[in-house]
Amino acid sequence: MSKMPETTTGSRQRSQRASNSIHWYLLTAGFLAFSISTLVWTGQNSAPPRWDPADHLRFGLEYYERLRALDLAGLFEIFFYSTRYYPPFYHLLIGVVALFTGPNPQAGAVANLVLLAALMASLYLLGRRLYSAEAGLVAALICPCYHINAALMHESFIDFALVCWVGVSLYALERTDGFRSRVGSVCYGLVLAIGVLCKQPYVFFMGFPTALVALSNIRRRESLVNLSWAVAVAALIVLLYTAFTYQRQAAWADDLALWGDTSIKSPNRPLP
């Protein structure tokens, strides 16, 4: 009689593992479906990239050229001293992916698929922690089906990277356990830093959830310390990038210096 509870518990654990395996198989099948449709679309699309995707792809291929040549000095220069408006994370990812796909428009689409895999896995795990595995599975499969996400993943839109990284960040925030986990909090700080280096609105999307979780657990000394760790890690990385950016822009002391530099770097680009 004493073995009955152990047998029941073991049977439940095996059933849970089997259920989780099925969920991961379904997630993989969904991801492959999105991947195939995206690659087929980009392979058959003969139109040149539009303005934003073309710019992001071009910036990404600048990273590719330096990575392929192992030009660390050039890589450092465009990462920290680039004059482009957007932060470097998405463009660096395209450059890394282009090492495997070659310097073509599909590099941007494959980079999006890497981010899509991270998004789907994060939504599934987040739903499993908050509600149930089934809820996480439904969320992970539905999110890429929204028309805006399905359209953005076909081209080099930085907005898709932002969507995906917000999903990853929400899961990372949940893994902090209300900032009771030191390891989870430090990892969340790293995730925050990458998000800030993805696109500026990331701060808005993750600022409120982070503040809510922090305020809900602020009475715990352990949570307050771990929150400080997360903020310190994110701030250190972002401030390092910001310091180099500020140093770069210090060369533009006045309007004459700014437009003189613009005319040198963009001689054939008409400006208003």
Side-chain angles (χ1 to χ4, degrees), residues 84-136:
R84 56 185 71 102
Y85 173 76
Y86 291 108
F89 168 69
Y90 183 55
H91 306 135
L92 177 59
L93 177 62
I94 292 177
V96 173
V97 169
L99 292 174
F100 301 93
T101 65
N104 54 60
Q106 285 198 330
V110 174
N112 288 345
L113 294 178
V114 172
L115 293 165
L116 176 65
L119 172 66
M120 294 180 69
S122 297
L123 289 179
Y124 169 66
L125 294 171
L126 179 63
R128 193 169 73 176
R129 284 177 66 92
L130 293 178
Y131 302 104
S132 67
E134 290 75 16

Side-chain angles (χ1 to χ4, degrees), residues 34-44 106 109-110 113 154:
F34 292 123
S35 300
I36 292 172
S37 66
T38 298
L39 294 177
V40 168
W41 188 92
T42 55
Q44 294 184 349
Q106 285 198 330
V110 174
L113 294 178
H154 289 162

Side-chain angles (χ1 to χ4, degrees), residues 59-98:
F59 295 151
L61 294 183
E62 289 181 8
Y63 281 99
Y64 159 77
E65 292 171 356
R66 286 157 179 80
L67 288 169
R68 186 186 62 173
L70 297 179
D71 180 8
L72 298 183
L75 186 64
F76 182 89
E77 180 180 359
I78 64 171
F79 188 88
F80 287 106
Y81 290 96
S82 169
T83 56
R84 56 185 71 102
Y85 173 76
Y86 291 108
F89 168 69
Y90 183 55
H91 306 135
L92 177 59
L93 177 62
I94 292 177
V96 173
V97 169

Side-chain angles (χ1 to χ4, degrees), residues 199-221:
K199 193 177 181 183
Q200 295 87 337
Y202 175 86
V203 177
F204 172 80
F205 290 119
M206 289 308 302
F208 289 105
T210 302
L212 179 61
V213 173
L215 291 174
S216 300
N217 297 274
I218 199 169
R219 294 183 178 179
R220 297 189 180 93
R221 182 179 181 277

Side-chain angles (χ1 to χ4, degrees), residues 219-239:
R219 294 183 178 179
R220 297 189 180 93
R221 182 179 181 277
E222 180 186 24
S223 296
L224 191 60
V225 171
N226 290 334
L227 172 63
S228 301
W229 271 98
V231 173
V233 170
L236 178 63
I237 296 173
V238 173
L239 288 176

